[in-house]
Amino acid sequence: MGLVSVKEILADAKARSYAVGAFNLNNMEILQAIIRAAEAERSPVILQASQGGIKYAGLEYITAMAKAAAEMATVPVALNLDHGTSFEQVVRCIRHGFSAVMIDGSHYPFEENVAITKRVVEVAHPVGVSVEGELGRIGGTEDDIHVDEKDALLADPDEVVSFVEQTQVDCLAVAIGTAHGVYRGTPKLDFERLSKINSLIDLPLVLHGASGVSDEDIQKAIARGICKINIDTELRQAFSEAVRKKLAEDPEEIDPRKILGPARDAMQEVVVRKMRLFGSSQKA
Ligand code: G3H
Ligand code: ZN
């Protein structure tokens, strides 16, 4: 089939009020777990490369693996740059074949966020690559990106219309109280804020930091316009738990396939569960 844009995938999600999972890939086993789940569930899916993922696997491997997976897949697959840090990085990803990019200008003042996001849209749209922007600042840690709780900011509904009109982004990540990484307490999502934002713009909204958020809150978020849900931490947990279990049961095992195989299965189960929860199963 080949890679499709996130815009294309989210158009159907918005029209039919469901959300599509965006899962971070760092190696072949994670990619296969995601794709196998998508095929089994007949679900569209978004693959994402984070800063750490690119550093670990390399842009060439990430792109080649994702392209191969999309070509073999019988469901829509997108490849998105997650939390893009610069214009130059976005251009590199587009050149390598990403079908979507996120430019995260959320650490800049509003006008600078608008300026960099607009610049990205200007190069991405002519070549059919969709763009995700971010408003507010999501707390927590993902790879090299760390935002202290005190620096986390919720998205300001007053900025939303102006941001979308000026930048022409295809989807918008909004900080509503979630955080990256493992939660210490129970996350408290600001649903009122989300409803308000959703009433102001006609655009698919994105929820970051969704690992560890209760099923009930995820469903409430989808009902209030969330169409893309990012999951990384829960895959890491499934992977590492399975590897630890295997090695505890069989400390003499030296075959990487026998160690990584159960981890791949465990991650697939997580992805299947999320697809059913998000309502994307049987939508492809
Ligand atoms: O961009 C990636 C996601 O927002 C990761 O969130 O750490 O809750 O899985 P997570
Ligand atoms: Zn994120």
Side-chain angles (χ1 to χ4, degrees):
M1 209 182 227
L3 292 165
V4 300
S5 74
V6 165
K7 180 184 180 177
E8 197 177 319
I9 286 180
L10 297 190
D12 188 65
K14 185 156 172 61
R16 296 202 273 166
S17 303
Y18 66 92
V20 179
F23 303 96
N24 289 81
L25 82 136
N26 299 290
N27 64 18
M28 184 194 76
E29 281 76 14
I30 301 175
L31 172 62
Q32 288 179 332
I34 300 166
I35 296 291
R36 286 179 185 186
E39 289 283 354
E41 289 298 302
R42 303 299 312 148
S43 169
V45 73
I46 299 164
L47 306 168
Q48 306 200 125
S50 67
Q51 298 306 309
I54 292 170
K55 214 185 266 179
Y56 175 78
L59 209 46
E60 291 77 9
Y61 275 99
I62 296 260
T63 323
M65 285 194 300
K67 274 189 194 163
E71 265 151 35
M72 286 185 287
T74 61
V75 295
V77 179
L79 175 62
N80 184 41
L81 167 66
D82 191 23
H83 294 282
T85 49
S86 68
F87 179 77
E88 290 72 21
Q89 181 179 52
V90 162
V91 171
R92 264 198 304 278
C93 287
I94 294 176
R95 189 149 193 268
H96 276 82
F98 278 53
S99 62
V101 290
M102 174 190 190
I103 179 73
D104 182 355
S106 64
H107 47 286
Y108 293 125
F110 181 74
E111 287 310 332
E112 272 177 66
N113 188 1
V114 168
I116 188 168
T117 307
K118 211 172 150 192
R119 201 167 160 225
V120 164
V121 169
E122 279 164 9
V123 296
H125 280 183
V127 289
V129 170
S130 60
V131 179
E132 174 180 338
E134 178 173 323
L135 276 179
R137 200 176 301 149
I138 294 154
T141 303
E142 190 181 23
D143 298 329
D144 300 348
I145 301 175
H146 176 74
V147 178
D148 269 352
E149 222 171 289
K150 62 171 174 34
D151 297 323
L153 280 179
L154 298 185
D156 181 353
D158 290 341
E159 292 181 344
V160 166
V161 174
S162 158
F163 185 82
V164 169
E165 275 175 4
Q166 289 191 69
T167 61
Q168 296 295 308
V169 284
D170 303 288
C171 57
L172 182 66
V174 286
I176 55 161
T178 55
H180 292 127
V182 180
Y183 287 99
R184 268 172 283 151
T186 310
K188 212 182 147 354
L189 277 64
D190 189 339
F191 290 114
E192 219 175 288
R193 185 179 297 266
L194 179 58
S195 297
K196 171 89 186 149
I197 293 170
N198 192 36
S199 71
L200 294 169
I201 48 167
D202 186 27
L203 208 65
L205 300 175
V206 181
L207 186 68
H208 283 247
S211 294
V213 175
S214 71
D215 289 2
E216 201 194 332
D217 278 358
I218 289 288
Q219 271 159 350
K220 277 193 196 168
I222 295 170
R224 288 161 180 79
I226 293 291
C227 294
K228 172 176 179 272
I229 301 184
N230 289 11
I231 300 283
D232 187 1
T233 299
E234 283 192 50
L235 292 184
R236 296 179 185 204
Q237 288 169 323
F239 180 93
S240 50
E241 270 165 33
V243 168
R244 278 194 196 97
K245 186 166 173 273
K246 174 69 193 167
L247 291 176
E249 281 166 7
D250 195 353
E252 305 299 315
E253 183 57 67
I254 60 149
D255 184 342
R257 295 164 299 190
K258 294 194 176 139
I259 299 167
L260 296 176
R264 181 171 60 185
D265 294 344
M267 290 185 289
Q268 185 178 337
E269 269 176 46
V270 170
V271 178
V272 164
R273 223 180 319 118
K274 296 297 176 190
M275 287 172 165
R276 291 181 187 170
L277 172 66
F278 300 165
S280 68
S281 294
Q282 309 305 325
K283 296 291 198 309

